[in-house]
Amino acid sequence: MSKQIIIVGAGLVGSLLACYMSRRGYRVKVYERRADMRVAGYSGGRSINLALSHRGIKALKKIGIYEKVAPIAIPMYGRLIHDVKGQTQFLPYGKEGQAIYSISRGELNRLMVEEADRFPDVDFYFDHRCTNLDFDTNTVYFENLSTREKISVTGDVIFGSDGAYSQVRYLMQITPNYNLHQQHEHYAYKELHISPGPGGEHLLEKNALHIWPRGGFMLIALPNTDGSFTVTLFNNLEGENSFAELHDESSVNRFFEKFFPDALALMPDLTETFFKNPTSSLVTIRCYPWRYKNTCLIGDAAHAIVPFYGQGMNCGFEDVYELDNLLDLHREDWDKTLEQFQKIRKPNGDAILELALQNYIEMRDLSGREDFQLRLKIERRIAEAFPDRFMTHYSMVTFSHLSYHEAKIRAEKQNELLDEIMRIEGIAHKWQSEEVLRMADEWLQRNAPQNQTYLKS
């Protein structure tokens, strides 16, 4: 008889994991606290559109799902920066043709559940809340939220893919030598909306991620396939211009008139949406170990991050991809696989967590500054001039196979070169000169890593 896998959480990572495990011949049972979105619909108001990129696409392609995802994804080739006067500046993400893909969380989750449900050995149980877990007997206890019936199910391997506020992780905290750091940030987010134009067209540039950086807070907008944009305000919870000061219609309108006038013109229902949708918190999770006996955390349950690098889903999908590779490597020895899985993925979860926190500062405070935009142009020029020896920081994270941990280390080292170049007197007028490329070449000869396979995207 084939092994039985129990997955707690039918979100993006849980449903992808179900596909991978069934493909390997396991029987899979997936339990989800929420109602079946295919019947109840997706509950909005707390969503930030996803940015699907290389790592996530790689995991979807491995099991033939990407072809079904692609039609609901919109390519975004760069950031379009909006200043207070309504002027814009386009900053490409990568080489010509490289893009990240805007996709609705609800649409993708529904598609992923449908795909997992096509496998004959995958069964979903919605409206089931995890209440307890016996790590010695591999038994998980649930309450059916519709009938209040209490059930238990036993499997060979249990995965907690139940998100940032994971119940499986909560229960794992009583196991020996468990370490957990949970950090709620001092800022939060509010979902807003730009409707399609009268002909169903996008009212902003369709193929870009729009950012209104205002130093300390920002607005972003990502396109949807129906011509709308999912808009998100990221702001401090307390202090000047914070959420605490946006307490009625007049204060919200004044705030948007002052800081986001061009966006306000596209949101006639701003105040209605603002007060209908909650102000949602952002949390980061560091924990270890990720596994205890035959139970293992995966995705946000193991490494929840803030959304500012667009890598939360991609990192979770890469978890599944790497777990599958390890099962091949260890010939389905689950003890060796889970042990190596947590050791390999933990440093990468920590690295992308730090990178995402840093990128909020970049998006919110730096992206609107001329000196920072110049720095990105110089970084891109070096990457184009020395494609076998240099890759931009963003491309290492978003368009390569390089581990997050290694990308972070290499980017920190490359910053030494960029800092040196930015100190050149009159760099704003010299950045396209041969002097800059000579300096980069000399630095790369001394510092470029020997193994350049990561440059193959």
Side-chain angles (χ1 to χ4, degrees), residues 88-357:
T88 60
Q89 173 78 18
F90 181 75
L91 304 176
Y93 279 133
K95 301 173 186 175
E96 185 175 354
Q98 284 186 324
I100 60 176
Y101 295 84
S102 175
I103 190 166
S104 160
R105 179 182 296 275
E107 283 189 77
L108 180 58
N109 205 164
R110 186 184 303 109
L111 185 153
M112 296 294 296
V113 170
E114 288 174 352
E115 288 303 308
D117 216 10
R118 295 182 194 277
F119 287 88
D121 293 327
V122 176
D123 294 309
F124 282 89
Y125 301 87
F126 293 93
D127 292 306
H128 279 71
R129 180 175 66 90
C130 177
T131 59
N132 210 342
L133 201 165
D134 188 323
F135 295 96
D136 294 317
T137 64
N138 298 335
T139 302
V140 193
Y141 297 86
F142 297 95
E143 179 186 13
N144 185 320
L145 297 177
S146 299
T147 66
R148 297 303 172 186
E149 177 187 7
K150 292 177 172 56
I151 65 167
S152 63
V153 59
T154 301
D156 295 286
V157 181
I158 300 162
F159 283 99
S161 63
D162 46 343
Y165 297 100
S166 167
Q167 176 70 0
V168 175
R169 187 183 66 240
Y170 174 77
L171 296 168
M172 199 178 280
Q173 290 178 53
I174 65 172
T175 62
N177 302 313
Y178 195 81
N179 294 291
L180 170 68
H181 177 82
Q182 175 178 295
Q183 175 69 43
H184 280 94
E185 302 305 325
H186 60 82
Y187 43 84
Y189 72 93
K190 174 86 70 173
E191 180 186 327
L192 303 168
H193 187 74
I194 292 176
S195 297
E201 72 276 14
H202 290 85
L203 296 179
L204 295 169
E205 167 57 45
K206 174 183 177 181
N207 297 118
L209 189 156
H210 297 262
I211 307 177
W212 291 258
R214 296 298 181 260
F217 55 92
M218 69 174 181
L219 193 73
I220 68 170
L222 280 76
N224 297 309
T225 54
D226 65 356
S228 68
F229 285 83
T230 298
V231 182
T232 311
L233 172 64
F234 294 97
N235 201 355
N236 294 316
L237 288 164
E238 303 289 341
E240 186 179 4
N241 295 318
S242 68
F243 277 120
E245 293 192 343
L246 304 179
H247 48 75
D248 57 24
E249 290 189 7
S250 61
S251 60
V252 171
N253 278 319
R254 285 196 305 271
F255 177 77
F256 274 77
E257 286 170 358
K258 181 177 181 180
F259 295 109
F260 312 114
D262 57 336
L264 176 61
L266 303 177
M267 294 190 286
D269 57 351
L270 169 65
T271 54
E272 178 185 349
T273 307
F274 191 95
F275 291 106
K276 180 181 71 174
N277 290 340
T279 301
S280 301
S281 62
L282 292 164
V283 65
T284 56
I285 297 291
R286 295 180 178 90
C287 64
Y288 200 77
W290 290 2
R291 62 85 56 115
Y292 182 67
K293 298 187 176 179
N294 291 320
T295 298
C296 186
L297 303 175
I298 193 166
D300 282 356
H303 48 67
I305 64 175
V306 292
F308 305 115
Y309 228 118
Q311 289 295 308
M313 172 190 62
N314 293 290
C315 183
F317 281 6
E318 191 175 60
D319 282 349
V320 178
Y321 181 91
E322 294 298 340
L323 175 75
D324 191 61
N325 288 343
L326 290 171
L327 282 168
D328 286 338
L329 177 66
H330 295 299
R331 299 181 180 181
E332 316 245 349
D333 183 321
W334 276 96
D335 185 60
K336 290 180 180 177
T337 294
L338 294 180
E339 193 60 29
Q340 190 172 1
F341 172 73
Q342 66 173 354
K343 288 180 178 177
I344 288 175
R345 295 303 292 168
K346 167 65 174 172
N348 292 308
D350 287 348
I352 192 57
L353 184 152
E354 293 296 334
L355 290 171
L357 289 169

Side-chain angles (χ1 to χ4, degrees), residues 55 311 315 318 343-355 393 396-397 400-413:
R55 298 169 197 270
Q311 289 295 308
C315 183
E318 191 175 60
K343 288 180 178 177
I344 288 175
R345 295 303 292 168
K346 167 65 174 172
N348 292 308
D350 287 348
I352 192 57
L353 184 152
E354 293 296 334
L355 290 171
H393 185 188
M396 282 191 283
V397 172
S400 84
H401 298 288
L402 188 66
S403 74
Y404 291 122
H405 179 67
E406 186 65 20
K408 182 173 181 290
I409 291 172
R410 293 190 186 184
E412 289 169 351
K413 187 67 178 175

